[in-house]
Amino acid sequence: VVSTQSTGSSGINAEYGVVSEDFMNGKYYCKKLDIVDITDDSTCVCRSESGKLLESVPQSILETVIPKQHGSLVMLLSKENQFEIAELEEKDSKSGVVICLTLIEKDVVTVKFDEVCQYIGDVIR
C-alpha cells in the first residue's frame, strides 16, 4: 500500500516556479512556490520558500518544476492521472515529455511537461 502524508508545508505538495517578472515587482521571479490552495480557475494561494503566504496568485505566472534525477517523485496533473504520485523514469527536453512509473498501479505513463510537477510530500511504501 502506498499513501501520501502532507508535510504541513503545502496543501497540494507540488512545487511551481514563477515565470513573471511583473508579479510583485519581480520579488518572486524564478523562485519556487508551493501551492496551498486553488481558489478558482485562475488564481491560487501559495507559500514562498521563506514561508510567506501569498494570496490571489495568478496561475498563469506559474510553471511546473520537474526534477532532473531518475527516481524522483512527481505528481501527475493530467485528467487521466490527476494527483497520482509517480517516479520519474525519463525526461525528454527536446520533445517536452516525461516518462513516469505510477507508484500504486505501476503503470508507465508519458505526459507533457505541463502535466507533471515535482512532488514534495512524504510517501509511505
Side-chain angles (χ1 to χ4, degrees):
V1 172
V2 178
S3 66
T4 59
Q5 288 184 322
S6 175
T7 60
S9 64
S10 170
I12 297 178
N13 293 318
E15 200 163 56
Y16 290 80
V18 177
V19 295
S20 172
E21 292 182 57
D22 297 329
F23 178 67
M24 299 197 68
N25 296 319
K27 181 176 180 179
Y28 295 100
Y29 179 63
C30 290
K31 303 287 184 194
K32 294 179 182 176
L33 299 177
D34 299 340
I35 293 181
V36 175
D37 190 23
I38 298 174
T39 50
D40 60 40
D41 287 345
S42 61
T43 62
C44 55
V45 178
C46 296
R47 187 177 322 276
S48 70
E49 292 174 306
S50 66
K52 182 174 180 166
L53 208 57
L54 307 170
E55 296 186 18
S56 301
V57 177
Q59 292 179 30
S60 61
I61 67 150
L62 301 174
E63 77 174 1
T64 59
V65 173
I66 303 170
K68 295 177 182 159
Q69 187 174 354
H70 178 274
S72 296
L73 294 178
V74 294
M75 179 184 289
L76 302 175
L77 306 171
S78 62
K79 289 183 181 184
E80 299 83 22
N81 303 93
Q82 195 165 25
F83 303 124
E84 263 192 84
I85 308 304
E87 285 185 354
L88 178 68
E89 294 293 315
E90 186 179 330
K91 178 179 174 181
D92 186 344
S93 297
K94 281 187 176 183
S95 61
V97 297
V98 173
I99 300 171
C100 306
L101 179 66
T102 62
L103 293 185
I104 295 174
E105 299 295 326
K106 302 295 184 199
D107 292 330
V108 175
V109 180
T110 302
V111 294
K112 298 178 197 171
F113 276 10
D114 62 349
E115 297 176 326
V116 65
C117 65
Q118 182 170 341
Y119 180 73
I120 56 174
D122 294 326
V123 174
I124 300 172
R125 298 180 197 216

